Amino acid sequence: MGTIFSTDLMSGQGPKYRRLVDGLVAAIKSGDLPEGEKLPPVRELAWELKITPGTVARAYSILGEEGWVSAEVGRGTYVRPLRDRPKQRARSSDGYLKHQAHALHNEPETDFLFAPRLPDVGQVDIIRDAIRAAADLPDTLLLRYPFHGSQAYLREALLAHIPKHEQGGISADDIVVTNGGQNAIMLSMQTLLAEGTRVVMVEEHSYPGLRRAVELLGAKVVGVPMDEQGIDPQALAHVARSSGASLLFTMPEAHNPTCRVTDTARRHEVVDVARTHGFHIVQDDCYRLGPALGPSYRSLLPEQSWFISSFSKTISPSLRAGYVVTPSGWASKMRRVVDVNYFGVSSPTAEILFQMLSHPDLEQSMTEMRRRNREYIEIAVNMLGRYELGWSHDVPFFWLKLPHGWRVSSFCQKAENKGIRIRPGDDFALRDGPSPQAVRISVNGQMPPERFREVLAELVDLLDNPTDTLSV
C-alpha cells in the first residue's frame, strides 16, 4: 500500500468519514492519486488507518456519488479520468449546516457545564454505521407502523447488553423500548398512575424532569427525606402511610444531583417498606457509566419494581434510545400505553439501536467514555476537593455545596457572567421543599481537559472571594 494511504490522509477536520473523503479528494486533485489508480480494498485501508470498515465504505460511497471514483463489481474502486468527473456536488449535509449554523452555535459551547456533554470516543462512527445498516430494512417495515412482534430481536439484544449479574430474572418480554429516558419515565408514570393513587414519592432533591412529568399527568409529588445512604426508610414508611402513594421514584446507583449511592442493606430496607405498604419502586439508572454498586430493585422485588435506563450518557443523547424493564406481568399493560401514545419506536430507530448494540467496537467505545469521564472528575476533585463535594468516577457531574458567603442564584449569575453555565440546586428542590445551597456542575467532554481545568479555576476564584454584597 502506497505511502499516500497513511494516517496523514485524515488530518483534516470533522467526522472520520468526511476527513477521509477530503484527504482522498485532495490526493486526486494533486495527482498523488492519478486517474485509473485503484484504491485499496475497504478492510485493508480500514486496518491501515485504524478506523472501521464502515467508515471507509461510507467514504468510498460519497466519493462515487461526487464523481471522483467509480466502483467496478469484482475489480475494485478506481479514480475516474478527469474528463469523466462531473462538477463536484454539494455535500448532502451542506443545506442543513447552512440553515442550522445559528442554532448550533446559539449557546456557549466551550464553557457549558449546565448538562453533561459527551466526547466522541468512537461512537459517532458506530452511529453512522448503524444508520447505514438501517437503510437496508425490508420495504415492508419502512411502509407500515411499528409493531411489537417485529422488534423482538431488539429486546433480546437489550437483554444481552445488561450484564448477567444485573439481569435478576429479567426476560426479553419484560423490556419495553422507549424514545429515551424521559419518555421511559413518562410512560411508566402513565401506566402506574392509571391504576393507583395519583401520588408519587420522590427523594427530597430530585430530577426536575420527573417532577414535570408527574405534574403534567395531574398527579401530586411528595418528598422523602434522605441521609448519606439515600432514602430514609423510616421517613419513607411515614410518607407512604400518610399519603397513600402508589409509587416511589428513586436513583440508588447515581443520585441526581447529589451522586449518593444507596448501599445494599438500605435497598433491602426500602424493599421491605414497599412490600409492606404495597407501592411500586421505579428505579432511574440513566446516569451510571460503570458497573452497578448494588442489586437493582427489579431483582429484589420483581413483582413491584421498574428499571429505567437509556444510552444518552454512554453513547449519545441524540439517539433518544432508552428502555424500561417492567415488573413481572406488567409489560402488556405498558405496551397498551405505548400504543396510545405513538405505537412504539419507529422501525428505523429500532434497527439503528440494534446495530449499535451489535457493533464490535461498542464495548471499547463505552469503556473509553468511562475512562474519559474519570479523567474529568479527577480534575474536578483535585481542584475543588477542599470544598464539600458529591462525586463519582462513573457519573458525568458533581455536586458542590457552596461555602458561607454565597447564595446559589448569585453564584450562578457570577459564573454565567464569565461564560460558565452551571445548574442551581434550586432546580432539584420540590415546590414546597427546602432549596439546597449547592450547584450541580456537569462534565463537558467536548471541552479539552486543559480548558476544563481553566474553567474550574475561575469557579475556585469565585468561591474564594465572595463579596459583602453577596454574603448570606
Side-chain angles (χ1 to χ4, degrees):
M1 191 176 296
T3 57
I4 183 62
F5 299 107
S6 69
T7 53
D8 292 341
L9 195 63
M10 299 180 62
S11 59
Q13 301 295 317
K16 291 180 181 179
Y17 79 91
R18 192 66 237 182
R19 280 185 269 161
L20 180 56
V21 169
D22 293 343
L24 291 171
V25 168
I28 292 171
K29 286 181 176 180
S30 68
D32 289 338
L33 282 177
E35 56 184 71
E37 180 82 1
K38 183 179 180 180
L39 299 185
V42 167
R43 292 194 176 277
E44 287 185 20
L45 185 55
W47 184 88
E48 185 72 21
L49 300 179
K50 303 300 185 290
I51 57 179
T52 66
T55 300
V56 178
R58 178 170 174 76
Y60 280 11
S61 176
I62 292 173
L63 288 168
E65 292 171 1
E66 295 182 351
W68 295 103
V69 302
S70 60
E72 301 178 19
V73 178
R75 295 191 61 228
T77 302
Y78 294 82
V79 178
R80 299 186 67 178
L82 181 61
R83 65 178 181 276
D84 293 337
R85 297 176 200 160
K87 292 183 179 180
Q88 187 176 359
R89 296 179 295 165
R91 300 177 188 175
S92 60
S93 62
D94 282 349
Y96 173 83
L97 292 177
K98 177 180 178 182
H99 295 291
Q100 296 296 324
H102 175 72
L104 287 170
H105 299 287
N106 197 32
E107 59 186 12
E109 293 286 328
T110 305
D111 299 342
F112 190 94
L113 304 179
F114 190 81
R117 288 290 180 88
L118 275 59
D120 177 13
V121 292
Q123 78 273 32
V124 169
D125 283 342
I126 293 173
I127 293 170
R128 293 189 188 281
D129 287 347
I131 291 172
R132 285 193 294 275
D136 293 328
L137 278 172
D139 294 354
T140 52
L141 290 179
L142 294 174
L143 292 171
R144 62 168 296 171
Y145 288 105
F147 61 99
H148 181 70
S150 68
Q151 295 178 3
Y153 72 103
L154 174 57
R155 293 190 293 277
E156 292 286 353
L158 284 167
L159 179 61
H161 179 76
I162 301 172
K164 290 288 186 183
H165 66 278
E166 295 180 30
Q167 291 182 4
I170 300 168
S171 76
D173 289 337
D174 296 324
I175 296 174
V176 176
V177 188
T178 65
N179 290 310
Q182 184 66 30
N183 181 232
I185 290 171
M186 195 72 175
L187 293 170
S188 300
M189 297 296 118
Q190 284 181 294
T191 306
L192 281 164
L193 294 176
E195 301 201 7
T197 307
R198 300 184 68 78
V199 178
V200 177
M201 296 180 290
V202 301
E203 287 130 338
E204 59 183 348
H205 301 145
S206 187
Y207 169 56
L210 175 275
R211 299 199 315 272
R212 295 190 189 108
V214 174
E215 291 168 358
L216 186 62
L217 294 171
K220 179 183 178 182
V221 178
V222 293
V224 180
M226 302 173 66
D227 60 22
E228 291 306 310
Q229 292 296 329
I231 287 281
D232 181 328
Q234 291 185 341
L236 176 63
H238 171 74
V239 173
R241 186 166 50 249
S242 60
S243 68
S246 56
L247 66 110
L248 165 69
F249 182 92
T250 183
M251 298 179 172
E253 284 289 340
H255 180 257
N256 183 13
T258 67
C259 290
R260 292 175 188 168
V261 176
T262 302
D263 67 20
T264 298
R266 177 63 60 85
R267 297 186 199 199
H268 280 280
E269 292 181 74
V270 170
V271 163
D272 288 342
V273 176
R275 187 179 286 114
T276 298
H277 293 276
F279 60 80
H280 283 238
I281 302 174
V282 180
Q283 177 177 341
D284 183 342
D285 200 36
C286 291
Y287 276 97
R288 172 171 60 94
L289 302 181
L293 299 175
S296 70
Y297 286 118
R298 178 59 175 72
S299 66
L300 297 176
L301 189 64
E303 66 276 12
Q304 289 173 225
S305 297
W306 306 61
F307 182 88
I308 292 173
S309 190
S310 82
F311 298 96
S312 294
K313 305 302 182 292
T314 54
I315 301 177
S316 172
S318 70
L319 299 168
R320 310 315 306 132
Y323 62 93
V324 179
V325 180
T326 66
S328 303
W330 279 75
S332 59
K333 296 179 182 180
M334 190 170 189
R335 286 200 300 271
R336 287 196 292 271
V337 174
V338 169
D339 288 343
V340 169
N341 278 272
Y342 56 94
F343 296 108
V345 298
S346 71
S347 296
T349 297
E351 182 65 16
I352 289 169
L353 181 53
F354 173 77
Q355 292 292 337
M356 287 193 312
L357 293 173
S358 307
H359 200 285
D361 296 336
L362 180 64
E363 184 176 353
Q364 178 182 346
S365 172
M366 296 179 77
T367 298
E368 177 61 17
M369 185 71 72
R370 186 184 178 201
R371 187 201 67 77
R372 190 77 64 89
N373 189 76
R374 176 179 291 260
E375 176 185 0
Y376 282 80
I377 291 296
E378 289 182 353
I379 291 172
V381 173
N382 287 336
M383 298 196 66
L384 295 164
R386 57 192 171 94
Y387 303 102
E388 193 171 349
L389 287 181
W391 61 276
S392 166
H393 280 126
D394 290 330
V395 179
F397 59 78
F398 52 95
W399 183 240
L400 169 66
K401 291 189 177 180
L402 296 181
H404 180 78
W406 282 108
R407 291 194 303 270
V408 172
S409 59
S410 298
F411 184 78
C412 290
Q413 184 59 60
K414 285 288 186 179
E416 190 158 354
N417 290 344
K418 292 177 173 286
I420 306 168
R421 291 191 63 200
I422 54 180
R423 192 147 196 174
D426 299 353
D427 285 1
F428 303 92
L430 301 182
R431 293 188 186 280
D432 57 353
S435 294
Q437 280 293 109
V439 294
R440 194 193 74 175
I441 302 175
S442 296
V443 167
N444 184 341
Q446 296 166 20
M447 178 188 298
E450 297 76 16
R451 181 55 185 155
F452 185 65
R453 188 177 286 105
E454 291 172 1
V455 171
L456 294 187
E458 294 187 65
L459 294 181
V460 168
D461 185 59
L462 277 180
L463 290 166
D464 287 345
N465 295 284
T467 62
D468 291 341
T469 56
L470 298 175
S471 61
V472 177

